[in-house]
Amino acid sequence: MSKMNPKEWAAQVVKQEEIDKYLVNGKDFIDESEIINKLETNRNPDPQRIRDILGKSLSIQRLEPDETAALLNVTDPELLKEMEETALKVKQKVYDNRIVFFAPLYCSNLCVNSCLYCGFRKENSEEKRRILSLDEVRKETEHVIDEGHKRMIVVYGEHPLSDVDYMVDTIKSVYSVQKKSPKGRGHGSIRRVNVNAAPMSISDLKKLGDAGIGTFQVFQETYNRDLYSKLHPAGPKSDYRWRLYALHRAMDAGIDDVATGALFGLNDWRFEVMGLLYHAIDLERQFGIGPHTISFPRITPASGSELSTNSKYLVSDEDFKRLITVIRLSVPYTGMIVTAREEPGIKKEVIKLGCTQTDASSKIGIGGYSESQDCQIAEKQQFTLGETRSLDEVIRELAEMGMISSFCTAGYRCGRTGDKIMNLLTECVEGKFCKLNAILTFKEYLEDYASEQTKTVGEKLIQKEIDEVKQIPFFKQHNLIEKLEEYYGRISKGERDLYL
Ligand code: SAM
Ligand code: SF4
């Protein structure tokens, strides 16, 4: 970790030459007037044009800005319903009925930035500051493993004490933990660590890549420059363009699973959806790969932040569903994450519209997993959680809806990342491997962590899945059914971490 004082440290974060190298024809990929113009000129779209666009999404092609702008302008309830139905079909085609689970681990809330919507901003004296020691990281990880998780996202404020070397140490600590399951069958561990952190230089990103991270995630918050400046008045985060190319640098550093997002509630949601699309297009253009996932967190009340409760752009549930539908249709290959910021009812609805990943049993206070529930005091959290149910409860609800919970991390460990996974996703092949690995990891979960009630519902669903798999020619052609049955039997007898 850096011993520099925070002010000096913050002043040397941004490297101009690592921004300008990504300009195309001297321009950034976001042009606000172009976005506004597209939203304006695609008003009142003709229903037949919308249906043609839906056909394009269904053939798993990424949409162009005019097409997305047209979808964003649909208000007719019948057409909106068709869009929702198509979004679900697209999701099923690419990702089937799987939902991938992860847990966040907040390692530090020290921060040199001043984001007006966040409880961690440096001016917030209500916030009790804390950075986890590596021992504490391991303890937190044990709790997360005990819930049954296999994937984690580590989250950090931006500060010299939580610089890239600290991140690498914490990631290694997470990977080092092995824990016997409470039911005494297998050993659990975190098999994939993703990172949500401030934008970094290419050399720092290489260090993260060497630590074996899965996805590097940075949310742009808003794609509107002027608003961005107002919301981020100080610190390295005030540099809009340093953030805009954070994922480009990650790609250059060899991390080819990158994740974007916007914080919804700061600005007109239509504008931000267009920004996300332009971001995906530029990553495709410059690296041949779009974002591995897109997130669309809605702003939730944060300690000491008035903006988090009184912003005039807070997004209603109806609009939230629309924006998720349009993202699913516009970037059909991408994973989509709905987090525990959302309450169970709306989360259930948007999972049906195309979300592919979510978290559960989450604690977002620093040290929150190790401390008792009573200690989850508001000032220790970055913002308020809407979903506080256990992983077991959420999994049971999804299984009752016919959705299989996946803890699969095989893609990343078999080299199915970046452009390789993108091609498989667009050809709808990756989904097939994932279906089998979802069954295997779900079985592990049911054996090691599930309540009896969840196990009963889950086993029934697995049986139905296996029966379905046997009918699919792809699996027969590739001799995958025998393999699945062999691995399934071995997991039932206590072996773990078998994947295709
Ligand atoms: N410090 C890093 C950064 O800002 O990129 C990473 C950690 S930050 C805690 C992760 C994300 O939390 C931010 O990108 C922002 O979108 C989100 N966030 C901040 N305040 C929020 C709030 N009040 N409600 C919901 N999400 C919020
Ligand atoms: Fe710090 Fe990130 Fe919160 Fe901004 S959003 S105050 S950078 S932790």
Side-chain angles (χ1 to χ4, degrees), residues 326-378:
V326 177
I327 294 173
R328 171 43 71 224
L329 294 167
S330 301
V331 194
Y333 58 75
T334 199
M336 290 175 63
I337 302 179
V338 56
T339 66
R341 290 172 180 87
E342 299 300 334
E343 303 213 338
I346 184 77
K347 201 166 148 182
K348 192 171 161 184
E349 285 191 56
V350 299
I351 282 175
K352 285 195 229 146
L353 293 178
C355 296
T356 58
Q357 292 194 26
T358 192
D359 55 330
S361 297
S362 300
K363 301 278 187 287
I364 56 168
I366 313 293
Y369 291 101
S370 311
E371 287 160 14
S372 77
Q373 205 65 27
D374 311 341
C375 292
Q376 288 292 306
I377 44 177

Side-chain angles (χ1 to χ4, degrees), residues 111 113-115 117-118 120-122 156-158 221 237 382:
C111 195
N113 291 308
S114 306
C115 315
Y117 43 80
C118 180
F120 291 175
R121 73 185 188 288
K122 74 170 189 293
Y156 311 84
E158 186 170 21
E221 322 297 11
K237 191 158 170 181
Q382 183 208 4

Side-chain angles (χ1 to χ4, degrees), residues 382-393:
Q382 183 208 4
F383 48 80
T384 317
L385 283 182
E387 165 74 276
T388 50
R389 293 177 300 167
S390 69
L391 179 62
D392 186 75
E393 277 173 276

Side-chain angles (χ1 to χ4, degrees), residues 270-284:
R270 293 176 186 81
F271 182 95
E272 301 303 345
V273 172
M274 292 296 285
L276 290 167
L277 176 73
Y278 276 97
H279 204 158
I281 293 174
D282 203 60
L283 289 169
E284 283 179 25

